[in-house]
Every structure is written in C-alpha cells, then in structure tokens.
Amino acid sequence: MNGMDDNEEEDSFFPDDFDDLPDNAWDELEQNAIQSTQHPPINDTKQQTAVEPNNYLGNVVYRNVAPPKPVRQPFQRPINHQFPQQQYAQGQPYVRPADTGVYEDTDIPTSFEEREVHFDRNAGGNVTEREQWRQQRYGETSRPSKQAAIAYEQPYTRTFEEHELNEHNLDMDVDRTAALNAVNDQQSKQQHDSEREEALRSQIAELLRERDDLTRELQTAKSTVMTQMGEISIIRANQAEDSKGFDRQLVALKKSIQEEAENHKRDIEATNKRSERISNDNQFLQHELKEELEKIKALQKNLRDKETRLAKGDSTEGVTTPKKTRQLPLRDGFDDQDIAIVSPVKSPRKSKPGTPTNAGKRKRKVPDASPVPALTFHDSSTTQAKKVDGQPEEPVKRTEKALVIRKDTRINQSLQFMQRILNHRLAPTKDRILEVFSQYAFPSDTKKSFTSIVLEESASLSGETLPSGFTKTIIDLWAQALKEKYYMPIAALIEVVQFILALESSVINSGVIQKIVPVLQSSTDVNGTVRFNNSPVSSQNFGQSKQTPKSELNDEVDGTETLDMLYTIACSCVRKPKLMEDLWRTIDSNSILMMLNVAQPISDLTLTLNLLATSITPTTFGTIKSNETDQQKNERYLVDRVAYLLWETPRVDEGDPHPTKHATYELRMEALSLLSTLAFSSPHPHNDPSHHGSLLLATHPSIIGRLVRFIYDTLDALYAPIEPASPLHSLLSSLINRATLLLYRLLELHSKDINLHEKLTAISGGVQKHRVVLTRLAFSEGLHLESGISDETVAMAHEMLEEAVTPEEAEALIEVFPGFKGRGGGDE
C-alpha cells in the first residue's frame, strides 16, 4: 500500500539494529535457554519447551512444542482512544498512550496491512492517542530504544512512511518484550518447580525421618515386649518350680503325718497288747497266788494235825492200808486228779516230791523231778526171808501225786512255723530271710532295715495268731514298698509270702485277704498299666497298634507271680463261701478288665481267665458290687472283654517273638471254657431258663454273633493245610465242638428271649456266616480234615439249620448235597 514490496516488509520485522535491546538481553536469553534444557520440571508428564535464541533480532525459536503462553492481564483499550490530529498539525512531538504492559493476542496487529488499515481507519488524532497508549503500557522508563526517545522529544517533522516504519519498530519491540516476558515466565516457572522439588524433597526427607523414628520406636517396643515376655516366662518358670516345691513339701508333709499317724496307731496297738498281756498275767498270778495260799493253808492244817498226833503219842502215822488200783476211764497212764493246768507264765520251779520214807525219818532231796510218781522197789529175797521168819510185811507208804503239765500243740505248731520261716533260704543267694531283709530299708527311713521292722512286729505276736500276724507284717512291708516305688525288695517279699501260703494255708482269713489283695493287684498293675497304655484301646494310644518298649517295663516286679498268688488264694477259698465273697468284694474290677486286654502276656491272660472262673456263683460273676446296677454293668463288661479274646490276636512286648498259632488257640480255648463254665456250671439245673450265667450270655447284644464268627473263623482254619494228626488240628476241632455246644444250649434255653436276626446283625456278615457255618457242619462227613468234628456237633448244627431256613431253602440245600446220607451212611 505504501510502495514497499513484500521483502522489504518482511525485513522490516527483523532490523539489523540491536541498539534497541538492553545490554544484558542476549546473556539472559542464553542462560535461560541453557537452564530450560538442564532442569526439566518435576511431576509434569507434558513435554517441556526448549527455548533458544535465533540469529535474528531478538526472536526466540520454540522447538518440538508450542511456545509457552505467558500469564498476562487482558488488554483494556482506553475509551475514546484516538490519535489527536492536532498534534500532527501543530508539529508537537508524538506521545504514545500509556500501556499496562499486558494485552491480549487479539489486540496486537498481526501484519502491516492490518496496522495500515487500522491507521487509515483512525486517521486524524490517532498518533497522539497511540503514544499515550504506549506510555500507559510501557511507561517512560520502558521505552524500546534511545533513538525512539529522542525522536519523541523532537518536534514531529517526519513523513507518513517514516511514521509507519517507527510504528513497525515499536511493534517489534513489543514482540521482543513479549518473548522476554515468556522467558521470564519460564524462569519463574522453573524456579517455582525447583522450589516445589525442594519442598517435595524436604517433605520426603521428613517422611523418611519419621519412618526411621517409627522403625526405631517399633524395634524398641519389640525389644521391650521380648524383655517382658522373657520376664514373664522366668516368673512362670519360677512359679512352676515353686509350685512343684510346694507340692513336694506337701506330699512329704502328708507322708510324714501319715507315717506318724501309723506309728502312733502302731504304738497304741502295742500298748493295748502289752496292757492285755499284763492283765492276763495278773489274772494268772492271782489265780496261782490263790492256789498257793490254799496249799499253805492245807500244809499248816496237816502240820497242826501232826503236832496233835505227836503230842498224843500216836506212832502209827502214815501207815495205811494199800488201796486197790482203779481202772482209769481214759487209760492214758495218768490219774485224772494228777493232771493240773499250769499257767505258761508261772515259774517252772516247783516243789519236788521226795521218795517215800518211814515215819520219823528225814526226807532226802531228789535232784531231778519225775513226771510220774516214784515206784517202790521190793527186794524179793528180803521179802521171802521176812516171810520165812514169820515177820509181817511192812506196809506201803502213800506218796504225794506229782503235777503233770501237758503242752499245747497249737503253740508248738506256731513255734515250728516261725522256726521254719526264719530258717528259710531265699533264691538266688540262698541266704536266710533275716539276712536278706537286713539289706533293704525304705527311702523314707534308711536307718531302719526290714529285719528290725520284722523283729519288732514279731515280738508282740503270740499264740494262734502268730502265722497270720507275721504274714500281715510282710504284707505291710510290701505295701509300703509299692507306695514309695521301692521295687527292689518286692521279689524277696513275694517269695516269702508264697512260702508262707505253701507252709500254712490256714493263715488266709478275712484280715489277710483285705490286706494282700490290693497289694497283689497293685504289683500286677505296675507293668500291666504300661502295656495297656500302649494298646489300641487306650486313650493315650487310641486306634494305634504299638509294642510296649522294654525300657518302660520294670523287671523288679513280676506281674505273673502276683497273679498266680492271687489265683492260689482264690483256689484256697473255694470251699469257704464267706472268704470267697470277701475276696471278690475286695478285688478291683478295673484291674481285671485291664488284665484281659490282648496287650498283656498270654500267661497273664490265662491266669486272669482262671481267676474269673472262681468268681462264678448262682447270682454273681466277677467282682461283687453293693449296687445292683453297677453289678450288671460290671458283669456285662467282663463278658464283652472275654468274648473279644475269641478273635483278637495277642500282642507281645518289643523284642519278644510273636506267639504261635497253637498258643493263640489255647488262649481262645481258655476264654471259651470260661464262657461255657459261666453258662453251664452252677448249682442251678441246666434246663432252668432263669439260670444267671446263661441268661447273662443270652441277653448280651453281641455274644451270639461273636460265637458264630468264632466258629466260622475256626472252621476256615481247620480247612487250612494242616496235618490231621497234629495237636493244632485236634485243638481246632475241640474249639468247634465246644463253641457249637455253647451256641446250641443258649438257643435252646433262651429261645424266647433271643432275637436271632438282631443278634447276628451285631457283626459284619453275621447272617451269611451263620448259614454257611451251619451248612458246613450239618453236612460234614467226618473225613480227613473234618475227622475231629463229633457226631453230636453235626446233629446240633443240623437242628439249628432247620430252625434257621425255610422249607424251600432246605430243599435247595438237599439238592446241593444230593449224595449226603448223614454220618455213618444212615438215612438221616
């Protein structure tokens, strides 16, 4: 529009004159450009702007991203801003209106044509108004260059083109100022970001310090807790130790009190015995004194009579007519009036009778007294001479009767008993009892040996109670040893008691039974409890099969010996119902049940079964309880435990060989014999349905089923490859015969009380095993393997099978065995 070409217009935006720029503008641009590339902003995912100067005049080139938009206040154009025309006419200098320094992009002319159009549109007074606007925007101190300031001070003499050129330069100054403002804004933003980064770093450092503090506090708390836990554990350990110590002190105190009470009781008993003995001695002495007084009186009377006769001159004293010898009724060689009872505590010194003398002669003392009167010897030659001479025969003088003391045979037996006991030698050292007992002493009183205790207790024994009293003394030592778990002398005590029972069976009375039975069962339980705890039925080892280790057993206590002794005592009481009742009231049923467990040795099981056989009475079985309900429960438990032995396999201790089949079936024979004895052997008739033993088996929920299972298993074992003539084959045949008889008798006696189907379902497959085993036995021909099965067993099985099957099933069985004609080829 003003005659300038495009290139000139373009070059006018980039003048070569740098005098308009401040002196440090280039350094600031370069420094800001370097800082913008070196310090990217923090926590901003947007791409940053890199600013670098261009070769052109103050222009800034933005790479990769759009140029930053500085934060500026919107431009407010003054109202009625117009360039005053009169300034140009009067030649006054052009004053640009003041500017606030902040403007909108839309207010800045983008090209020279727009400014030209704008200038044309505001011709007249717009120059002065623009100058005012510039002053308002930049102020006097922020003019773009010195030349522009000088030009403003001089009177306006320029042409319109020069004015446009200056206007263009001023616009370029504005652009450069905007670029500088953008750089400053970027610097301030970077400074703000760096401050923000420093604040974040300080906040992170503070958080890290807090974390470290919290970690240290946590470690301190943990160490404090661990210290407290350690202190608590120490306190608990000390408390447990103190509690154990108190318990030990309490046990020791109770033990000492009990021992003192027992000693006091023993002293009282000894004092009572001593008082009783003194009283008896006093009575005997009084009786003897009375007799001696009577004798003295009699002697004094005789003496007075003699003196009277001597005073009268009677010289025929003592001459009497010989008496005829009487026939004594007892014909024992002694006169009844010559036998007198003499006290055992009376002094053995008696008046010794003298030889018969003539009247008036002194008596000669005889050194030894004779139990019979002295005989008078007559010289036959002298007698004949006297007769020949005709002199009369000298009369026989009557002599005094001598006292004869008969010895008590029971006292002699008691003394002989003590002599044999004290002279008995114990195995294996072959030392006497007192010598062996001198080696033992209780841990609670090591200064007092067993020998001292036995001698002290035996000193107060006498008479018929001597054997039983000595036996009780030995039992008390045994019980105290078990109580203190001092097992070393128990073997010697067992041997002594066995010797006493073998020597004198009369020592077994109610007092001895009440003392010895708990001791025997406690001794049996020493190892029996250990074996039971390792069995599968124990609560400590439930469902697990475990052999008993040898280390847990005590070799110093032989449970088999104690069971054998208990069985011996029971056998000695068979003929004494009162003692048998006392025995089975004293026996503990729990110990019997424990000893019927298969974890016990076969010898102990056999002895226990034999012991139970002695308890069978018309109304009870096993331990006698005071309560009827407890009695029924105990009997059912015993029957149930015995029935288990019919199919359970005995276990052995660790390291011992397993029992043989023959030993196992012998044990089952003992169990079956006990059940048979319970069902049949009693004073009641066998055909009585109210029979206690058979009714007990018939009403048991599983005995019938277990008998069927036992016969089935034993028959299978019989069909195994065994020699028919072997002992095992005959034992199996005997088991089958006896079990079949027991089953038949139970079904025969109590058919109304037995629900056979219910009893058979108590075991797995009971109904099928019942049919199979009865069929095998009923159709047995007795050949080879079945040779041991008796004809009575076949007949009983045939009868039970007929009761169990229907007619159709019976016909089917006959068709299965078409050639069977019964035992011996009969028609049956």
Side-chain angles (χ1 to χ4, degrees):
M1 295 177 61
N2 54 6
M4 298 176 61
D5 55 5
D6 296 336
N7 294 329
E8 290 178 356
E9 185 179 356
E10 185 178 357
D11 294 335
S12 65
F13 288 93
F14 304 99
D16 296 332
D17 191 3
F18 290 94
D19 295 334
D20 297 336
L21 296 175
D23 297 334
N24 58 349
W26 181 261
D27 296 333
E28 289 179 358
L29 288 175
E30 184 177 5
Q31 185 176 2
N32 292 336
I34 294 173
Q35 291 179 356
S36 64
T37 58
Q38 294 295 326
H39 299 283
I42 299 174
N43 296 331
D44 190 2
T45 57
K46 296 181 180 181
Q47 187 177 5
Q48 301 297 322
T49 304
V51 183
E52 62 180 10
N54 198 352
N55 293 329
Y56 297 100
L57 181 61
N59 291 335
V60 179
V61 179
Y62 298 91
R63 291 186 177 181
N64 299 328
V65 293
K69 294 182 180 181
V71 180
R72 294 170 295 186
Q73 297 293 331
F75 171 72
Q76 298 179 358
R77 187 181 299 276
I79 301 175
N80 298 325
H81 69 284
Q82 294 181 356
F83 297 100
Q85 299 291 337
Q86 58 270 21
Q87 288 184 359
Y88 291 99
Q90 295 177 3
Q92 296 179 358
Y94 174 77
V95 179
R96 189 166 184 160
D99 195 357
T100 60
V102 180
Y103 54 92
E104 293 289 340
D105 292 339
T106 54
D107 297 334
I108 302 175
T110 57
S111 63
F112 184 78
E113 285 80 8
E114 291 182 2
R115 289 193 298 272
E116 184 178 2
V117 173
H118 179 73
F119 184 79
D120 293 340
R121 191 170 50 246
N122 297 289
N126 291 336
V127 176
T128 304
E129 187 176 352
R130 181 182 292 272
E131 185 65 21
Q132 293 177 357
W133 174 78
R134 291 183 182 277
Q135 291 178 1
Q136 292 176 3
R137 184 175 180 87
Y138 301 104
E140 290 294 336
T141 59
S142 60
R143 291 181 180 179
S145 64
K146 296 179 181 180
Q147 296 178 359
I150 296 173
Y152 291 153
E153 293 176 357
Q154 292 179 359
Y156 180 76
T157 56
R158 298 180 182 177
T159 61
F160 180 77
E161 289 78 6
E162 293 176 351
H163 175 73
E164 290 294 332
L165 180 61
N166 292 332
E167 191 71 16
H168 175 70
N169 292 333
L170 289 174
D171 293 336
M172 292 299 297
D173 292 341
V174 171
D175 294 335
R176 285 194 296 272
T177 303
L180 291 174
N181 290 335
V183 172
N184 292 332
D185 292 338
Q186 185 177 3
Q187 291 177 356
S188 63
K189 183 177 181 181
Q190 291 178 356
Q191 184 177 2
H192 175 70
D193 293 338
S194 62
E195 292 176 356
R196 183 180 178 185
E197 180 182 1
E198 291 295 330
L200 290 174
R201 287 181 178 178
S202 62
Q203 186 176 2
I204 292 171
E206 184 68 21
L207 292 175
L208 291 175
R209 284 193 298 271
E210 291 179 1
R211 186 195 65 181
D212 296 336
D213 294 339
L214 292 175
T215 303
R216 285 192 296 271
E217 291 178 1
L218 180 60
Q219 293 178 352
T220 304
K222 285 183 178 180
S223 62
T224 304
V225 170
M226 293 297 294
T227 304
Q228 293 177 354
M229 290 177 64
E231 294 175 354
I232 291 171
S233 63
I234 293 172
I235 293 172
R236 287 179 177 174
N238 294 335
Q239 183 181 5
E241 187 67 25
D242 294 340
S243 177
K244 291 180 180 179
F246 292 152
D247 292 340
R248 288 193 296 268
Q249 293 178 3
L250 182 61
V251 170
L253 183 60
K254 288 182 178 179
K255 183 178 179 181
S256 62
I257 293 173
Q258 186 177 2
E259 290 177 355
E260 290 178 0
E262 292 177 356
N263 294 333
H264 183 64
K265 183 178 178 181
R266 195 180 299 112
D267 294 339
I268 292 175
E269 292 177 356
T271 304
N272 293 335
K273 292 180 181 179
R274 193 179 304 110
S275 177
E276 183 180 358
R277 186 169 62 252
I278 292 173
S279 177
N280 295 334
D281 295 343
N282 188 20
Q283 292 178 2
F284 278 112
L285 290 174
Q286 288 179 359
H287 180 71
E288 292 171 359
L289 178 61
K290 185 178 180 180
E291 291 179 349
E292 292 295 328
L293 288 175
E294 291 176 355
K295 289 180 181 180
I296 291 173
K297 290 179 180 180
L299 290 175
Q300 290 177 355
K301 183 179 179 181
N302 292 333
L303 182 61
R304 287 193 299 268
D305 293 339
K306 287 181 180 182
E307 291 176 353
T308 303
R309 284 193 295 271
L310 289 174
K312 291 181 179 180
D314 188 4
S315 60
T316 61
E317 180 186 2
V319 180
T320 59
T321 303
K323 294 181 180 181
K324 186 179 179 179
T325 304
R326 294 183 303 171
Q327 296 295 332
L328 298 178
L330 299 178
R331 298 183 181 275
D332 54 357
F334 298 95
D335 293 338
D336 295 340
Q337 63 270 19
D338 294 338
I339 300 174
I341 299 176
V342 182
S343 173
V345 297
K346 187 176 180 181
S347 175
R349 293 184 178 180
K350 303 293 180 180
S351 59
K352 300 178 181 178
T355 58
T357 59
N358 294 328
K361 291 185 178 182
R362 297 179 62 184
K363 296 180 180 180
R364 182 173 56 86
K365 293 183 179 181
V366 182
D368 295 325
S370 175
V372 297
L375 301 177
T376 302
F377 295 94
H378 302 280
D379 191 1
S380 59
S381 60
T382 305
T383 304
Q384 293 294 332
K386 288 182 179 181
K387 287 182 180 181
V388 169
D389 296 338
Q391 296 179 355
E393 183 179 358
E394 188 175 4
V396 179
K397 301 291 183 70
R398 182 172 58 88
T399 59
E400 295 181 358
K401 302 292 184 180
L403 298 178
V404 178
I405 300 175
R406 284 187 176 179
K407 296 182 179 179
D408 191 353
T409 57
R410 295 181 180 179
I411 295 177
N412 292 334
Q413 291 176 359
S414 299
L415 294 176
Q416 292 176 2
F417 170 81
M418 289 300 300
Q419 290 176 356
R420 296 190 65 178
I421 288 295
L422 297 178
N423 289 326
H424 179 65
R425 298 180 182 272
L426 301 179
T429 59
K430 299 301 179 181
D431 294 333
R432 291 183 175 88
I433 291 178
L434 295 181
E435 294 176 354
V436 175
F437 281 2
S438 63
Q439 304 173 5
Y440 303 124
F442 291 121
S444 59
D445 188 5
T446 56
K447 297 180 180 179
K448 196 172 186 180
S449 64
F450 281 16
T451 302
S452 301
I453 298 174
V454 170
L455 292 177
E456 289 179 2
E457 295 296 330
S458 301
S460 60
L461 301 175
S462 62
E464 300 178 1
T465 61
L466 183 59
S468 60
F470 185 81
T471 305
K472 290 180 182 179
T473 301
I474 302 299
I475 295 172
D476 290 337
L477 292 175
W478 190 349
Q480 185 66 22
L482 289 174
K483 183 179 179 181
E484 298 187 10
K485 295 184 179 180
Y486 181 50
Y487 299 134
M488 187 181 300
I490 288 181
L493 295 172
I494 291 175
E495 187 175 353
V496 172
V497 176
Q498 286 177 341
F499 181 72
I500 291 174
L501 295 178
L503 182 64
E504 188 68 32
S505 60
S506 62
V507 299
I508 301 175
N509 51 35
S510 297
V512 173
I513 286 175
Q514 292 177 359
K515 278 183 170 292
I516 196 172
V517 169
V519 174
L520 290 174
Q521 288 194 301
S522 299
S523 301
T524 305
D525 294 346
V526 170
N527 291 326
T529 305
V530 177
R531 293 189 176 100
F532 179 78
N533 291 335
N534 288 283
S535 66
V537 297
S538 174
S539 58
Q540 301 179 5
N541 197 31
F542 187 76
Q544 298 180 0
S545 179
K546 178 183 177 182
Q547 289 184 334
T548 304
K550 290 288 188 181
S551 59
E552 298 180 5
L553 298 175
N554 196 318
D555 297 334
E556 295 176 343
V557 182
D558 191 351
T560 306
E561 290 290 337
T562 55
L563 271 177
D564 183 68
M565 189 185 302
L566 185 59
Y567 177 60
T568 302
I569 295 174
C571 291
S572 65
C573 298
V574 169
R575 300 293 182 181
K576 304 172 183 178
K578 183 62 173 63
L579 288 181
M580 183 63 73
E581 183 179 353
D582 293 339
L583 175 66
W584 283 102
R585 287 187 183 275
T586 310
I587 290 178
D588 184 15
S589 59
N590 293 327
S591 178
I592 296 295
L593 289 172
M594 182 179 67
M595 294 308 298
L596 288 175
N597 190 275
V598 290
Q600 309 296 341
I602 293 181
S603 58
D604 293 359
L605 290 170
T606 304
L607 285 171
T608 306
L609 292 172
N610 294 334
L611 178 64
L612 276 176
T614 63
S615 69
I616 300 174
T617 64
T619 57
T620 60
F621 171 60
T623 304
I624 300 176
K625 303 287 185 179
S626 58
N627 190 357
E628 185 65 24
T629 304
D630 295 340
Q631 181 69 30
Q632 293 177 359
K633 288 183 180 179
N634 181 59
E635 290 176 354
R636 179 162 294 185
Y637 291 155
L638 288 174
V639 170
D640 190 65
R641 188 63 255 171
V642 173
Y644 269 107
L645 296 178
L646 295 177
W647 59 273
E648 287 184 334
T649 303
R651 295 179 175 84
V652 295
D653 298 335
E654 187 178 13
D656 293 343
H658 291 279
T660 61
K661 290 184 178 181
H662 193 273
T664 302
Y665 282 110
E666 281 185 343
L667 175 63
R668 294 176 182 177
M669 175 62 80
E670 294 290 341
L672 185 60
S673 299
L674 177 60
L675 295 177
S676 301
T677 305
L678 179 63
F680 304 142
S681 300
S682 67
H684 288 279
H686 293 171
N687 295 328
D688 186 6
S690 62
H691 181 264
H692 176 264
S694 60
L695 188 62
L696 178 62
L697 297 180
T699 56
H700 194 277
S702 60
I703 285 294
I704 302 296
R706 289 176 183 172
L707 279 175
V708 171
R709 175 181 178 178
F710 173 69
I711 299 172
Y712 181 86
D713 295 340
T714 310
L715 198 58
D716 282 347
L718 184 66
Y719 291 153
I722 305 175
E723 292 295 331
S726 64
L728 180 59
H729 184 272
S730 60
L731 179 60
L732 292 174
S733 301
S734 300
L735 285 171
I736 294 172
N737 295 331
R738 180 167 291 191
T740 306
L741 175 61
L742 177 59
L743 179 62
Y744 178 79
R745 293 295 291 171
L746 291 177
L747 295 177
E748 182 184 19
L749 287 176
H750 307 283
S751 58
K752 297 180 180 180
D753 301 328
I754 296 176
N755 185 352
L756 185 59
H757 186 270
E758 181 181 354
K759 301 292 185 181
L760 294 176
T761 53
I763 63 172
S764 179
V767 177
Q768 292 78 10
K769 290 180 180 180
H770 177 257
R771 301 286 180 86
V772 171
V773 73
L774 291 182
T775 303
R776 287 181 176 180
L777 292 176
F779 293 95
S780 173
E781 297 181 354
L783 301 176
H784 195 58
L785 295 177
E786 298 176 350
S787 59
I789 299 176
S790 63
D791 297 341
E792 292 80 6
T793 301
V794 175
M796 289 185 291
H798 195 278
E799 185 176 349
M800 288 188 291
L801 185 61
E802 287 181 352
E803 296 290 337
V805 298
T806 61
E808 292 78 7
E809 293 175 342
E811 293 178 358
L813 288 174
I814 293 174
E815 294 178 358
V816 173
F817 301 95
F820 180 75
K821 296 182 180 181
R823 284 293 182 98
D827 296 335
E828 185 178 358

